[in-house]
Amino acid sequence: MWAIIGNARRAGRAWLTEPEAKAALAAYGIPVVSTQTAPGIDEAVEQATRIGYPVALKILSPDITHKSAAGGVALDLADAPAVRSAASAMLERIRQHAPEARVEGFSVQAMVRHGDGFELIIGAVTDPVFGPALLFGHGGVNTERIGDHAVALPPLDTLLAQDLVSRTRIGRLLEGCHEHPGVDADGLLNVLVQVSRLVCDIPEIDELDINPLLASATGIIALDARIAIKAPAPGLHPRLAIQPYPDALEERVEQNGRAIVLRPVRPADEAAYRAYFRQLTAEDIHARYFCTFREPEHSQLARLTQIDYAREMAFIATTTDARGETSILGEVRAVADPDNVQAEFGIAVRSDCQGQGLGKLLLDKLIRYARATGIGALVGCTMPHNRAMLTLARSCGFKTDIAASSDGVSLHLALHKENASVRTRR
């Protein structure tokens, strides 16, 4: 992958060739139709014969990125004379409509029948403010005219990819209807996640376009692809608007003979969070959120699980049973102010898991994280009758004060000496 990018940059090219773009996608496990290159008409015929008819023929030029619009695509060529005729006509069209374009030959690929498949588009562009942004929608030559697409910010996981698909009209058809079978949903979501990984991992990618991406019940395959590259922007500012999941913060511990994972929350935890709330008593929900509610709605769960790790952190304690199902035992969360002077925190442990030291594990984890990231102080608030919270906070070094003009108790832990005298009351 890096060799492909490096070769293109050394050649002074702003775009990868189609075979190079497909090789980049294949390196990330994205299915692509096999594509061969040919420097001339005779070689194109040889490649087509080797691949087997019918074939698709495309112009190979660093100056032509929209090949269909330039007359640089010929489909469903049934034999060698058809390839030879299409190649000659293609060169003539290019000479007339783009005389200055450099032509390096042709790309030849097996013709893939659409059948019951859908033509989709997956794209990526780099916004000067938000960084990479992903696009999904109805593909094919009429994609711009149809205008059915949705946009999301990477990184994506399976849940976020599914949400992106669901926000398009064609997304409803992909599940299948009437006589039309549904597409390989897992394969499609995997392609979206892998494209997200690709644009996150490779800062040189400025623009990416897979169109069409053919999706059917039998699989997903990229028929055409374009990738634009440029030198990464200098500086230390984060390239991504939303930071990727911080794997390095995962921690495994043993407690009372049980294996527990302390880790940041992620979007895929929504179902486990719903089950977690079902196992909290009304009293524990009120102690944590200062209100009562039944079962949280999807929008609330999304807010709890889809966080920006650069501005907020939530650690959960999880365990996995023999069936491989993950359960959340407790959580601790902190949201810092823009200047990192202090972060407000909250903590809760599942009602049937209290009194086992989980709260101490979680709060110690948060304190270590906050101190390492330069947060000046952790602050919170609890009720005077919440003896368990007051005991836990004091055991971790928090100062407790009766909050002015309220019945609450403020909690404050200075993480650096310069913050030792700073107190925040609520």
Side-chain angles (χ1 to χ4, degrees), residues 249-328:
L249 294 177
E250 291 188 355
E251 181 180 354
R252 288 163 174 77
V253 298
E254 290 283 336
Q255 188 190 55
N256 302 325
R258 176 171 57 182
I260 294 175
V261 176
L262 303 176
R263 63 168 175 83
V265 71
R266 51 192 175 208
D269 292 319
E270 181 173 329
Y273 244 94
R274 189 180 298 278
Y276 164 72
F277 274 104
R278 289 173 181 163
Q279 294 177 286
L280 289 177
T281 65
E283 292 78 11
D284 286 333
I285 290 177
H286 186 272
R288 168 64 178 87
Y289 297 99
F290 297 96
C291 65
T292 57
F293 52 84
R294 293 184 178 178
E295 187 169 296
E297 298 178 354
H298 164 70
S299 59
Q300 294 172 297
L301 292 171
R303 173 65 188 86
L304 292 172
T305 57
Q306 299 177 28
I307 66 172
D308 183 354
Y309 302 110
R311 300 169 177 83
E312 178 180 358
M313 181 52 67
F315 292 112
I316 57 175
T318 69
T319 186
T320 304
D321 62 21
R323 296 174 296 177
E325 295 183 1
T326 297
S327 299
I328 297 176

Side-chain angles (χ1 to χ4, degrees), residues 104-255:
E104 297 179 349
F106 305 90
S107 64
V108 188
Q109 63 187 52
M111 192 68 199
V112 178
R113 301 295 184 185
H114 288 201
D116 291 327
F118 292 90
E119 287 189 334
L120 307 174
I121 182 172
I122 295 178
V125 294
T126 302
D127 183 89
V129 175
F130 294 102
L134 301 175
L135 176 144
F136 170 82
H138 196 299
V141 295
N142 293 315
T143 182
E144 294 182 0
R145 185 174 303 174
I146 295 171
D148 175 28
H149 61 264
V151 177
L153 295 176
L156 297 183
D157 63 6
T158 302
L159 184 67
L160 296 178
Q162 176 61 62
D163 176 72
L164 177 60
V165 172
S166 71
R167 289 189 278 116
T168 61
R169 296 191 300 276
I170 198 170
R172 305 183 198 121
L173 300 177
L174 301 180
E175 299 175 0
C177 58
H178 304 300
E179 300 291 327
H180 205 295
V183 307
D184 177 7
D186 290 340
L188 175 59
L189 298 182
N190 179 66
V191 169
L192 281 165
V193 171
Q194 292 303 98
V195 170
S196 170
R197 283 189 55 207
L198 175 61
V199 299
C200 288
D201 290 349
I202 312 297
E204 286 85 355
I205 292 179
D206 186 51
E207 183 179 335
L208 180 148
D209 186 11
I210 305 174
N211 184 26
L213 177 77
L214 185 63
S216 68
T218 57
I220 313 294
I221 189 166
L223 302 186
D224 201 356
R226 304 184 308 132
I227 295 179
I229 59 172
K230 70 175 185 180
L236 301 177
H237 297 290
R239 176 172 165 266
L240 301 173
I242 299 175
Q243 295 305 297
Y245 177 78
D247 299 89
L249 294 177
E250 291 188 355
E251 181 180 354
R252 288 163 174 77
V253 298
E254 290 283 336
Q255 188 190 55

